[in-house]
Amino acid sequence: MTPVVVIVLVYFVIMFGVGYWAKSRMKSSRDFLVAGQTLGFFVMAIGTFSSIQSGFGMIGHTANTYSWGVQAVVSAAFLVPLAFAVSWFLLGSRLYRLARKYDVYSIPDVIRIRYPGRWAHLSMSVAMFVGSVAYMTAQVTATGVIMSLIFGTSVTVGAIIGSGVVALYTVAGGMLAGAWTDFLQGLLMVVMSIGTFFVATNTVGGWSTMLETIASHDIDFLRLDASQPLTYVYTFIVMAVLGTVAQPQLITKFLMLRSSSELKWGALVASLAYGVTTLFALSIGLSMRALTIEGRAPELENIDNTTTWFFDNMVSPVFAGFVLAGLLAAIMSSANSFIAVGASSLMRDLTSALGITVRNEVRWARLASVFVVFCALIFALYLSQVVFLLGAIGWAAFAAAIFGPLVLGLYWRRATGLATTVAIAFGVLSNLAATILTAQEVITLPAYIQTGGLITCLGIVLFIVVSVAVPSRESLEKFVDMNRPRGSKNVDLV
Amino acid sequence: MGVDRVDRLVLFCFTTTTVAIVGMAFDYWQLVYYSIPVLTALFMLMAALNRREEWSRPVVVGVAVFGGVMLTLFVAGNVALHTDGRIGGLPVATAVFLYAIWPVTTVAAPLLFAWAYHKWLRHDVEDAETGSVVS
């Protein structure tokens, strides 16, 4: 048994241990869906950053940095820590108040309280379920690749085993297990990223020597406009920042805090942790470029192999095993959040929107979790066309669908249920349409257009326009009611 | 229904986002670039309002200072974009992002939140600590 396998098996045992512990404390759907509202700021903040920092954040950004240059991490990662601060500003106290005043366990729950009628609630529930399966499908595929590297299996078998592991502890312990495993996985990612930064830069003589090697070969590689047009780069930043604020795995974490005092330092912890893990992509991407210039590494035809080539060839097996466990942690911490979000939308939100009462919510939440994983596995392994479509319903779709209705809706009395339904439909359908039309070459977009950021901004503007154009007194009344302190009498709508 | 502070802030957000969309669609990168610090400051100002739509003067000043610093760094990045100099091994504009904007936004923005929360926003959630949940 190699050191890599041992390290990863130990990691699995710890995850199962957390799942077993959480299962023994599981008494209600509140425990399953929002960790019993027991989280302190440190666990919540580390869990939040780790659920945002997915496999794509670690492996994908590394590949893009190797290929595009520094602009890849500038566009996709450098301002995400700022987004955590903006999230805490915009969502922290408002969502905490809601979670204490109402039984709020999910984003559709917030929509139900904020807007009248069934459509806004129903459409958000459907979007959450489809989006969660979409995200989970991407994580299944990534898990399969990493597991196949570790255990020497096929990608299919790796995906099944990896998904089984994450499903087991999530189904057993819900978000209580999810939050604590996210916490442990986040710590592992931070330590792994710091270690990787020093190992990777030392491989090419240190940070300064690495930059000098690249600059002497091609200084443009280090410029902000190295490969992609500046408009594309900055639009990507807009999508990264607004999208982070509007991701369900982040928003639901605010519903899990045990007291208001836990809000104060969470943003700092999450920002620093995410910032540190950005060092992973930055250091491996640039050191691999320097290694290529020095002739010590081949020019990779498939840039997705940047991370694996480096750890296969440049570090000891023990360190490689440690990093692979960290990469699995990045993937699994995102996956378990989406299993819980998907299960909640299916078992609680959709049924509630349709007027169906669910008894024994924990049992149904577990069954719904299994169903989410099952759908993701089937799509990932056997229905490549569905994966292609689901890939479009990711980050930007959530951003366009959630930012206006939820983030602005918490502050703005004129926000309406109709605008919510329109923004959700636009977010999902426009991303699907852009993906299909460009892939089929029906339309060819200029290189400077970053569709995710553009659609995110269009979704926000559309939400504001519809809210103003078609005002709703019922939505206004819901806003006033939502913000009324407990026990106070009705006040006039100004 | 009169126009209140949130209405004005939403109008500013709408205008800034629309300007950014024009930049994204027609390749004017400056319009997208400067929308980032402007939107950040607007969202922070909106979030600094309590439930009664009141601001705390020190918190507003704090957000304005942070927004000003961020905008200054963005201007510095823009001015340095096509210069030949290098700082810390990187072209100046890249160095501004890597050595200034990244650490400042990673550390100062959450510290600003912690201060604003302690100073002002926590009073908004204190009444939520007691009482029962409404279904």
Side-chain angles (χ1 to χ4, degrees):
Chain A
M1 194 178 285
T2 64
V4 177
V5 173
V6 172
I7 290 169
V8 173
L9 287 178
V10 169
Y11 165 74
F12 284 169
V13 168
I14 293 171
M15 295 301 109
F16 287 142
V18 174
Y20 181 78
W21 164 81
K23 183 176 182 294
S24 68
R25 294 168 60 106
M26 194 61 53
K27 292 182 176 62
S28 66
S29 58
R30 182 166 165 262
D31 294 322
F32 194 92
L33 298 175
V34 286
Q37 294 180 326
T38 58
L39 300 188
F41 80 92
F42 198 67
V43 175
M44 180 269 193
I46 294 289
T48 301
F49 117 77
S50 68
S51 61
I52 290 289
Q53 184 65 288
S54 63
F56 176 72
M58 307 296 277
I59 302 171
H61 293 173
T62 303
N64 286 343
T65 304
Y66 169 73
S67 175
W68 301 356
V70 180
Q71 66 165 197
V73 275
V74 169
S75 61
F78 271 11
L79 289 192
V80 171
L82 172 69
F84 284 118
V86 174
S87 304
W88 257 258
F89 259 108
L90 282 168
L91 301 171
S93 53
R94 301 269 168 158
L95 284 182
Y96 182 80
R97 282 186 59 78
L98 276 188
R100 285 298 179 271
K101 188 176 177 184
Y102 302 96
D103 272 331
V104 176
Y105 298 166
S106 64
I107 288 175
D109 272 347
V110 178
I111 297 300
R112 172 176 57 83
I113 288 161
R114 173 62 184 85
Y115 301 107
R118 180 176 292 185
W119 281 106
H121 185 205
L122 185 62
S123 52
M124 187 60 88
S125 303
V126 171
M128 284 297 107
F129 178 71
V130 175
S132 297
V133 172
Y135 258 103
M136 187 58 200
T137 302
Q139 306 309 317
V140 165
T141 308
T143 305
V145 172
I146 299 294
M147 291 289 286
S148 68
L149 286 172
I150 296 168
F151 293 102
T153 63
S154 67
V155 172
T156 301
V157 171
I160 292 170
I161 295 172
S163 303
V165 170
V166 71
L168 203 58
Y169 69 72
T170 309
V171 169
M175 267 319 292
L176 189 58
W180 280 92
T181 52
D182 283 358
F183 169 66
L184 296 173
Q185 289 159 344
L187 292 180
L188 179 59
M189 289 156 66
V190 168
V191 174
M192 179 263 286
S193 296
I194 294 171
T196 295
F197 177 80
F198 288 106
V199 168
T201 51
N202 282 334
T203 305
V204 284
W207 174 257
S208 299
T209 309
M210 176 183 76
L211 293 180
E212 193 54 45
T213 302
I214 297 170
S216 60
H217 178 76
D218 180 13
I219 183 71
D220 287 342
F221 189 76
L222 300 173
R223 293 190 188 279
L224 290 178
D225 54 352
S227 305
Q228 305 297 325
L230 281 175
T231 302
Y232 182 94
V233 171
Y234 297 138
T235 307
F236 209 129
I237 292 180
V238 171
M239 183 183 72
V241 173
L242 298 181
T244 298
V245 179
Q247 292 305 297
Q249 71 271 40
L250 179 148
I251 293 169
T252 49
K253 291 286 196 306
F254 286 107
L255 307 174
M256 301 179 190
L257 286 171
R258 65 174 171 228
S259 78
S260 59
S261 62
E262 306 297 336
L263 278 167
K264 187 175 173 183
W265 294 112
L268 183 63
V269 172
S271 295
L272 286 174
Y274 189 96
V276 166
T277 54
T278 303
L279 295 173
F280 182 90
L282 184 67
S283 60
I284 299 182
L286 292 182
S287 62
M288 274 297 290
R289 177 51 55 194
L291 285 168
T292 306
I293 292 167
E294 290 173 353
R296 295 163 63 195
E299 183 74 45
L300 299 177
E301 286 184 17
N302 182 359
I303 61 169
D304 290 336
N305 295 333
T306 307
T307 304
T308 50
W309 191 95
F310 182 83
F311 287 104
D312 271 349
N313 295 280
M314 303 307 295
V315 302
S316 69
V318 174
F319 188 73
F322 173 60
V323 170
L324 285 173
L327 293 175
L328 265 182
I331 296 164
M332 288 182 168
S333 59
S334 299
N336 68 37
S337 293
F338 282 103
I339 294 174
V341 170
S344 172
S345 62
L346 191 62
M347 176 277 298
R348 180 184 168 85
D349 303 321
L350 267 173
T351 52
S352 157
L354 295 170
I356 300 167
T357 304
V358 175
R359 292 191 176 85
N360 200 341
E361 284 190 328
V362 174
R363 178 190 296 168
W364 283 106
R366 286 188 168 130
L367 285 172
S369 301
V370 171
F371 184 67
V372 170
V373 178
F374 178 74
C375 288
L377 265 173
I378 294 295
F379 293 153
L381 301 180
Y382 302 110
L383 298 170
S384 58
Q385 283 303 308
V386 178
V387 175
F388 165 72
L389 293 177
L390 287 175
I393 311 170
W395 190 272
F398 274 139
I402 293 175
F403 197 95
L406 191 137
V407 181
L408 293 183
L410 287 174
Y411 289 86
W412 193 36
R413 59 192 169 148
R414 295 176 200 269
T416 68
L418 175 65
T420 297
T421 307
V422 170
I424 292 167
F426 174 79
V428 174
L429 295 178
S430 58
N431 274 290
L432 274 175
T435 304
I436 293 169
L437 294 176
T438 50
Q440 298 297 318
E441 297 181 353
V442 176
I443 56 171
T444 304
L445 295 173
Y448 65 80
I449 287 189
Q450 204 281 338
T451 51
L454 181 59
I455 288 171
T456 299
C457 289
L458 284 170
I460 293 169
V461 165
L462 184 63
F463 176 79
I464 295 171
V465 167
V466 174
S467 291
V468 172
V470 190
S472 161
R473 185 168 181 82
E474 292 78 16
S475 291
L476 175 61
E477 287 168 353
K478 290 283 264 185
F479 178 79
V480 173
D481 191 45
M482 181 182 77
N483 283 310
R484 183 179 297 131
R486 267 188 298 238
S488 69
K489 294 178 180 175
N490 287 2
V491 292
D492 292 335
L493 304 174
V494 182
Chain B
M1 189 160 48
V3 175
D4 64 11
R5 281 176 170 164
V6 177
D7 288 328
R8 290 191 196 98
L9 286 168
V10 169
L11 177 63
F12 287 134
C13 289
F14 173 80
T15 307
T16 310
T17 310
T18 304
V19 167
I21 288 170
V22 171
M24 292 170 188
F26 299 104
D27 199 18
Y28 297 108
W29 64 262
Q30 291 90 344
L31 300 183
V32 186
Y33 180 73
Y34 286 109
S35 74
I36 297 164
V38 173
L39 280 176
T40 300
L42 286 173
F43 289 141
M44 286 181 171
L45 279 175
M46 188 184 290
L49 286 165
N50 68 7
R51 275 184 299 120
R52 289 171 291 281
E53 295 200 5
E54 298 161 337
W55 270 318
S56 153
R57 186 181 292 271
V59 171
V60 171
V61 170
V63 170
V65 168
F66 176 79
V69 170
M70 210 175 147
L71 189 61
T72 304
L73 289 172
F74 270 65
V75 170
N78 184 359
V79 170
L81 190 62
H82 296 297
T83 56
D84 291 330
R86 282 164 66 186
I87 296 176
L90 293 166
V92 179
T94 311
V96 168
F97 255 95
L98 202 143
Y99 299 134
I101 292 175
W102 186 32
V104 164
T105 53
T106 299
V107 177
L111 282 178
L112 176 65
F113 170 77
W115 175 74
Y117 182 77
H118 180 76
K119 191 91 180 165
W120 179 241
L121 292 172
R122 72 184 164 93
H123 303 304
D124 221 24
V125 291
E126 280 167 351
D127 72 315
E129 295 289 9
T130 55
S132 59
V133 165
V134 179
S135 293

